[in-house]
C-alpha cells in the first residue's frame, strides 16, 4: 500500500514552490514528523520492528496460536504495566508491585480455604488488602515526603517477608492449598483465567482485560480532570498544588490503582494455577517498570501515555517468547533479551529525536 | 473526632462483611475437608539437650525446602535437639550464617554445599572448633575434601542419568529439560545427567521460575516451535504442574515426567497427567542430617563410614506406587 505512494511518478507534480513566507522561527513540520513526535509512536515502531524481525527469524511466530501465546505473556505483564505507568506519569514508582501480586493471591487463597468459604469472599478480601497496601504506600509517600523509591523498597521487603511467614503460619507449608474444588472457583476462573475459541485459536481472557484497562486509562488520562491532575502532580507538585490540584488524593489513588492491578494479576495466577507459592513475584516489579519506560513514560514523571506501555509490554512478551520460537541457544537467553530490549528502546529514542529535531 | 467516626464506620463495615461472608461458606474443599493428620512422631530421647544448626542455600518460599525443614524438625523433636535453621541462596551469605553458628558454639552443623569453594574455610573453622559438620542435599562430589563427617543426598548427575534410562525404556525420542533457574548447579547437573543417560535428543529450556504465567507461556512456545518433542522433563513439582497446562495450550501429545514431589503433584501422578516423578526425599535428607549429629554426639556413629555418601534418591514414584506415598504427601511430609 505504501509502495503506491513511492511509485507515484514525480514528473507530473510541479516543483514545489518553496516554503511560504515565514520569519524562519517556526518551520511547519510535515504530518508524518508531527505524528512521529508523539511519545507512543516511537515505541509502536520499535514493537513493530521486533515483531517483523521475529516473523522472519522464527517461522512458528506466523502461526495464530503462537501470537495468542505471545499476547498472553504480554497481557500478564501489561495489566500491571497500565497502573504502573499512570503512577510513573504521576511522578512516583512502586517497587512492591511484583510481590504485591503474590500477596493478593495468597490472601484470597488462604482466606477462603481456611474459613472454607466461597472463593469470591477471598477474592473481595484480597481486593481490600491490595487497596490497603496501595493506600499505605501512597499515604507514607505523601505524609513523610520520602522518595517513593525508599517507601516502596520498604514495603517490597515487608511484603516479601509477610508472604512467606504468614503462609507458613497459616498453612504450615510455603505454598497454599489447592482450592480448585471449592465453591465459586469455576465462576472466578471464568472471569480471571478463562480462554475463548476465536477461529480455532485459544485466546486467553487476560488479553481482553489488558486492552480494556489500557483503553480506560487512555480515556482517563486524555479526557478527564483526574487525568490532568496526574500529569500535573508528576510535572510539578508544588505549582499544581498552587492551582488547586489535590496532590495527596491523586498520588494516593494512583498507588491504590497499582493495588487494583496487583489484585487482578494475582487473581489470574491463583485461578489458573490453583495454588500459589509464597516466594514468587520477586523481580517482576522491574519488568513492569521497564515496560512502562520502554512505552515512553519518563522515570522523572510528568510525561507518558497509557497506550505506549501496551506496546512496551508487547515488546517484552514478544522478545521473551520470540527467542524461544526462534530456537536460539538458550544459554544466551538473558543476553538476547537485554540486547533486543536496548535495541528497541534505541529505535524508539531515535524516532523521537529525528521527529522533534526541528 | 472525625477520625474516630470513620474508624467506627470502617469497623462496622468489616463486621457486617464478616457476617455476610458467614453465609458464603463453600460446600466442598477447603480446610473443613482437610483431615487433621499428625506428622510422624516417635517418642522423645532423654539425652541431654543439644543445639544443632542447619544452614542451607534455600531461596525462601520454595516447597522443596519446606520438606527438608519439616524432616529436620521431626528429628530434632525426637532427639531432644534445639534446631536453629537459617538459609541464604547467596553462597557468601550462607558461609556467614555458618560462621554465626560456630560463634554460637552449637553442638553440630548440617549444611548444604551448593557452592563448595565458598564453604571450605568455614567448614575448616568448625572442625577446628570441635564442631562436627554433616553435609546434605548439595555437594556430593566435595563433602570429603571439605572435611565433612558424612553426607546425605542424591547425586544429581546420577539421578539425571537414571531418569534418562527410564525414558529410554518408555520409548521417548526427544526430551525437553526445563530449568527454572539459569546457572543453578544442581539443576544443570540433572539435565546434564539426563543427556548422558538418555539415548534420544535432549534440549534445554530456561524459564523464569518466579513468574508462573511466563513459565506457562515459554514452555508452550517451545512445544510449538519444535513439534518433535515427545517428552517434557521438569525439575520441580510446581513447574511440572504448570507444564501440564502448557501441554494442553500447545495441543501437544508429549509426555511429562519430573524431578521432585509435592502433594499436588502426587494427585497429578494418580490422574495420569504426570508419568512419574523422581524423588530425592527431602524430608529424609533433613531428618537424617540432624539425626546423624545426635548419633555422633551420643554414640560416636557415622553413616557411610566417612568414605561413602548415603543416597536418599533417586526414588521413582509412578502409578504403581503413588498410593503408598499419597497419604504422607497429604500431610506435607513427602
Amino acid at each position: 500500500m505504501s509502495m503506491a505512494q513511492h511509485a507515484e511518478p514525480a514528473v507530473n507534480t510541479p516543483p514545489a514552490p518553496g516554503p511560504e513566507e515565514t520569519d524562519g522561527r517556526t518551520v511547519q513540520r510535515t504530518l508524518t514528523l508531527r505524528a512521529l513526535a508523539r511519545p507512543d509512536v516511537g515505541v509502536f515502531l520499535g514493537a513493530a520492528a521486533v515483531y517483523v524481525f521475529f516473523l522472519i527469524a522464527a517461522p512458528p511466530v506466523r502461526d495464530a496460536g503462537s501470537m495468542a501465546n505471545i499476547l498472553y505473556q504480554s497481557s500478564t505483564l501489561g495489566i500491571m504495566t497500565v497502573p504502573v505507568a499512570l503512577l510513573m506519569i504521576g511522578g512516583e514508582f512502586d517497587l512492591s508491585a511484583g510481590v504485591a501480586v503474590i500477596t493478593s493471591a495468597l490472601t484470597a487463597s488462604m482466606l477462603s480455604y481456611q474459613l472454607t468459604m466461597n472463593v469470591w469472599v477471598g477474592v473481595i478480601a484480597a481486593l481490600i488488602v491490595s487497596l490497603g497496601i496501595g493506600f499505605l504506600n501512597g499515604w507514607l509517600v505523601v505524609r513523610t515526603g520520602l522518595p517513593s523509591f525508599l517507601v516502596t523498597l520498604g514495603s517490597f521487603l515487608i511484603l516479601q517477608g509477610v508472604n512467606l511467614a504468614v503462609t507458613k503460619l497459616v498453612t504450615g507449608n510455603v505454598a497454599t492449598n489447592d482450592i480448585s474444588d471449592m465453591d465459586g472457583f469455576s465462576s472466578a476462573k471464568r472471569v480471571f483465567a478463562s480462554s475463548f475459541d476465536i477461529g480455532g485459536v485459544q485466546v486467553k481472557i487476560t488479553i481482553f482485560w489488558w486492552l480494556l484497562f489500557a483503553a480506560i486509562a487512555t480515556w482517563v488520562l486524555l479526557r478527564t480532570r483526574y487525568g490532568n491532575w496526574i500529569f500535573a502532580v508528576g510535572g510539578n507538585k508544588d505549582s499544581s498544588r498552587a492551582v488547586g490540584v489535590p496532590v495527596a488524593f491523586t498520588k494516593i489513588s494512583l498507588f491504590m490503582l497499582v493495588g487494583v492491578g496487583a489484585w487482578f494479576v494475582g487473581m489470574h495466577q491463583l485461578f489458573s494455577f490453583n495454588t500459589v507459592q509464597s516466594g514468587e513475584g520477586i523481580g517482576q516489579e522491574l519488568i513492569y517498570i521497564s515496560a512502562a519506560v520502554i512505552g515512553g513514560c519518563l522515570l522523572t514523571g510528568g510525561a507518558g501515555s497509557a497506550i505506549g506501555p501496551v506496546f512496551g509490554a508487547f515488546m517484552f512478551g514478544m522478545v521473551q517468547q520470540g527467542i524461544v520460537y526462534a530456537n536460539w541457544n538458550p544459554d544466551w537467553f538473558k543476553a538476547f533479551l537485554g540486547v533486543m530490549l536496548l535495541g528497541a528502546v534505541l529505535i524508539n529514542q531515535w524516532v523521537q529525536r529525528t521527529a522533534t529535531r526541528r | 473526632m472525625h477520625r474516630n467516626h470513620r474508624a467506627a464506620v470502617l469497623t462496622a463495615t468489616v463486621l457486617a462483611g464478616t457476617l455476610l461472608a458467614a453465609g458464603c461458606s463453600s460446600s466442598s474443599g477447603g480446610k473443613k475437608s482437610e483431615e487433621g493428620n499428625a506428622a510422624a512422631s516417635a517418642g522423645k530421647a532423654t539425652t541431654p539437650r543439644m543445639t544443632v544448626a542447619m544452614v542451607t542455600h534455600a531461596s525462601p518460599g520454595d516447597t522443596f525446602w519446606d520438606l527438608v525443614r519439616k524432616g529436620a524438625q521431626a528429628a530434632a523433636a525426637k532427639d531432644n535437639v534445639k534446631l536453629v535453621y537459617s538459609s541464604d541462596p547467596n553462597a557468601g551469605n550462607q558461609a556467614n550464617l555458618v560462621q554465626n553458628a560456630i560463634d554460637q558454639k552449637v553442638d553440630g552443623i548440617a549444611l548444604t554445599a551448593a557452592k563448595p569453594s565458598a564453604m571450605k574455610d568455614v567448614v575448616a573453622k568448625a572442625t577446628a572448633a570441635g564442631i562436627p559438620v554433616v553435609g546434605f542435599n548439595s555437594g556430593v562430589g566435595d563433602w570429603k575434601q571439605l572435611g565433612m563427617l558424612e553426607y546425605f543426598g542424591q547425586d544429581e548427575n546420577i539421578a539425571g542419568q537414571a531418569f534418562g534410562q527410564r525414558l529410554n525404556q518408555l520409548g521417548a525420542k526427544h526430551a525437553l529439560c526445563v530449568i527454572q533457574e539459569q546457572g543453578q548447579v544442581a539443576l544443570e547437573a540433572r539435565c546434564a545427567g539426563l543427556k548422558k543417560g538418555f539415548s534420544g535428543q535432549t534440549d534445554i529450556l530456561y524459564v523464569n521460575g518466579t513468574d508462573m504465567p511466563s513459565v506457562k507461556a515459554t514452555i508452550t512456545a517451545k512445544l510449538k516451535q519444535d513439534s518433535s518433542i515427545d517428552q517434557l522433563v521438569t525439575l520441580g513439582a510446581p513447574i511440572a504442574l504448570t507444564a501440564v497446562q502448557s501441554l494442553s495450550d500447545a495441543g501437544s501429545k508429549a509426555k511429562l515426567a519430573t524431578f521432585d514431589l509435592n502433594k499436588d503433584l502426587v494427585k497429578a501422578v494418580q490422574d495420569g497427567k504426570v508419568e512419574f516423578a523422581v524423588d530425592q526425599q527431602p524430608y529424609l535428607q533433613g531428618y537424617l542430617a540432624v539425626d546423624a549429629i545426635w548419633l555422633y554426639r551420643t554414640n560416636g556413629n557415622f553413616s557411610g563410614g566417612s568414605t561413602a555418601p548415603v543416597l536418599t534418591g533417586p526414588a521413582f514414584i509412578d502409578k504403581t506406587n503413588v498410593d503408598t506415598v499419597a497419604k504422607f504427601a497429604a500431610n506435607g511430609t513427602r
Side-chain angles (χ1 to χ4, degrees):
Chain A
M1 284 167 283
S2 59
M3 288 300 288
Q5 289 171 359
H6 290 288
E8 217 170 328
V11 228
N12 291 347
T13 44
E20 287 180 26
E21 306 241 335
T22 55
D23 57 4
R25 279 179 299 183
T26 53
V27 179
Q28 189 70 39
R29 288 179 298 148
T30 64
L31 188 69
T32 344
L33 274 183
R34 268 183 289 154
L36 285 175
R38 286 184 49 80
D40 11 47
V41 174
V43 65
F44 171 75
L45 290 180
V50 168
Y51 175 59
V52 170
F53 176 78
F54 278 112
L55 272 186
I56 297 163
V61 170
R62 296 167 208 161
D63 177 42
S66 306
M67 196 28 77
N69 189 39
I70 290 168
L71 285 175
Y72 165 65
Q73 159 89 76
S74 312
S75 69
T76 57
L77 303 173
I79 290 174
M80 262 314 259
T81 307
V82 169
V84 165
L86 293 188
L87 179 68
M88 280 176 69
I89 298 172
E92 306 290 342
F93 66 95
D94 190 348
L95 288 177
S96 68
V99 280
V101 167
I102 303 303
T103 307
S104 203
L106 290 171
T107 308
S109 172
M110 287 192 291
L111 200 99
S112 38
Y113 185 88
Q114 296 300 326
L115 304 177
T116 316
M117 297 249 228
N118 190 305
V119 294
W120 279 102
V121 175
V123 170
I124 302 300
L127 177 60
I128 295 169
V129 168
S130 288
L131 283 171
I133 293 167
F135 176 82
L136 269 179
N137 275 336
W139 184 77
L140 279 171
V141 165
V142 169
R143 227 22 214 278
T144 60
L146 289 170
S148 49
F149 179 90
L150 269 180
V151 170
T152 60
L153 183 64
S155 45
F156 165 73
L157 294 171
I158 294 170
L159 289 180
Q160 213 179 315
V162 166
N163 280 358
L164 180 60
V166 173
T167 309
K168 184 105 199 216
L169 207 66
V170 172
T171 69
N173 301 301
V174 294
T176 62
N177 300 81
D178 190 339
I179 60 162
S180 61
D181 56 348
M182 294 180 64
D183 290 355
F185 186 88
S186 56
S187 60
K189 192 180 172 98
R190 270 201 294 281
V191 174
F192 294 108
S194 58
S195 40
F196 294 98
D197 192 310
I198 298 179
V201 176
Q202 287 290 309
V203 178
K204 296 274 192 321
I205 196 172
T206 46
I207 300 172
F208 297 105
W209 287 124
W210 171 38
L211 299 178
L212 177 71
F213 294 157
I216 294 173
T218 303
W219 177 77
V220 167
L221 266 183
L222 299 179
R223 290 272 177 274
T224 65
R225 202 160 55 143
Y226 182 66
N228 282 335
W229 290 349
I230 298 176
F231 280 109
V233 296
N236 191 325
K237 196 171 64 181
D238 297 322
S239 50
S240 54
R241 183 176 283 130
V243 296
V245 173
V247 174
F249 167 80
T250 311
K251 293 215 169 192
I252 293 175
S253 59
L254 284 173
F255 274 105
M256 290 171 78
L257 272 179
V258 174
V260 174
W263 168 72
F264 201 93
V265 177
M267 292 309 105
H268 169 69
Q269 294 217 23
L270 174 60
F271 292 108
S272 54
F273 303 109
N274 310 343
T275 60
V276 195
Q277 286 200 89
S278 54
E280 282 178 46
I282 297 153
Q284 288 301 103
E285 63 284 342
L286 292 180
I287 293 179
Y288 304 141
I289 293 171
S290 347
V293 172
I294 293 168
C297 296
L298 289 187
L299 274 167
T300 46
S305 70
I307 283 296
V310 169
F311 295 116
F314 172 74
M315 209 180 313
F316 231 103
M318 181 77 234
V319 173
Q320 216 167 5
Q321 301 309 322
I323 290 167
V324 177
Y325 282 120
N327 197 25
W328 289 345
N329 182 350
D331 293 344
W332 292 91
F333 182 81
K334 290 267 167 68
F336 286 139
L337 193 68
V339 169
M340 297 284 304
L341 282 174
L342 265 182
V345 177
L346 286 176
I347 292 182
N348 181 359
Q349 201 191 26
W350 174 77
V351 166
Q352 288 256 327
R353 210 177 286 160
T354 357
T356 50
R357 189 170 288 150
R358 277 192 327 127
Chain B
M1 299 278 271
H2 197 63
R3 284 269 164 81
N4 284 342
H5 263 298
R6 270 199 199 163
V9 171
L10 193 72
T11 319
T13 320
V14 169
L15 275 176
T18 316
L19 287 175
L20 198 76
C24 297
S25 301
S26 175
S27 57
S28 61
K31 184 83 175 168
K32 271 184 194 162
S33 74
E34 184 185 323
E35 288 162 9
N37 290 328
S41 69
K44 196 173 177 183
T46 52
T47 47
R49 185 115 173 122
M50 61 177 85
T51 305
V52 169
M54 176 171 271
V55 188
T56 75
H57 66 280
S59 50
D62 184 330
T63 52
F64 179 90
W65 292 99
D66 208 19
L67 295 175
V68 171
R69 198 170 165 185
K70 278 185 181 171
Q73 277 163 347
K78 195 197 73 177
D79 296 339
N80 194 19
V81 161
K82 182 187 166 205
L83 181 73
V84 186
Y85 180 90
S86 56
S87 74
D88 200 306
N90 176 302
N93 294 348
Q94 196 199 344
N96 279 343
L97 291 172
V98 178
Q99 181 61 52
N100 187 313
I102 298 170
D103 297 341
Q104 289 180 52
K105 300 191 171 60
V106 295
D107 298 289
I109 299 173
L111 64 84
T112 63
K115 297 195 177 100
S117 52
M119 293 299 133
K120 201 169 162 236
D121 289 348
V122 277
V123 173
K125 271 190 205 167
T127 337
I131 302 173
V133 180
V134 167
F136 71 103
N137 181 270
S138 302
V140 69
D142 300 272
W143 65 276
K144 252 186 291 178
Q145 288 96 303
L146 291 177
M148 294 184 186
L149 192 67
E150 50 198 321
Y151 180 86
F152 304 94
Q154 161 177 280
D155 184 319
E156 301 292 1
N157 202 285
I158 289 176
Q161 288 182 45
F163 201 109
Q165 282 150 11
R166 178 91 170 203
L167 292 184
N168 291 339
Q169 288 168 19
L170 292 168
K173 296 274 177 292
H174 186 177
L176 179 69
C177 196
V178 182
I179 297 183
Q180 71 268 28
E181 200 185 329
Q182 189 167 6
Q184 218 259 50
V185 184
L187 299 183
E188 302 273 357
R190 284 179 182 175
C191 286
L194 174 74
K195 209 167 195 164
K196 214 165 155 192
F198 182 49
S199 53
Q201 189 192 338
T202 309
D203 285 343
I204 286 176
L205 177 71
Y206 293 110
V207 295
N208 174 9
T210 62
D211 179 16
M212 276 301 171
S214 162
V215 170
K216 181 162 88 173
T218 307
I219 299 175
T220 308
K222 185 64 189 180
L223 289 171
K224 283 208 171 129
Q225 184 264 322
D226 193 340
S227 52
S228 71
I229 293 166
D230 61 357
Q231 180 71 53
L232 206 50
V233 179
T234 55
L235 308 183
I239 309 288
L241 293 163
T242 303
V244 170
Q245 296 189 21
S246 300
L247 285 168
S248 80
D249 277 5
S252 168
K253 295 233 160 29
K255 297 270 178 29
L256 169 63
T258 187
F259 285 85
D260 293 347
L261 204 65
N262 70 18
K263 63 179 170 185
D264 293 328
L265 191 82
V266 164
K267 219 172 101 204
V269 173
Q270 284 171 326
D271 296 346
K273 287 175 184 157
V274 174
E275 269 184 304
F276 65 86
V278 163
D279 188 14
Q280 62 169 308
Q281 308 195 70
Y283 183 90
L284 186 62
Q285 289 178 1
Y287 185 95
L288 290 180
V290 171
D291 206 32
I293 290 168
W294 176 78
L295 278 168
Y296 180 75
R297 280 283 180 193
T298 54
N299 204 37
N301 295 123
F302 38 91
S303 307
S306 268
T307 57
V310 178
L311 297 185
T312 60
F316 284 88
I317 309 293
D318 58 16
K319 254 196 159 147
T320 59
N321 62 357
V322 67
D323 291 333
T324 56
V325 175
K327 65 173 184 225
F328 305 119
N331 295 344
T333 55
R334 259 312 288 265

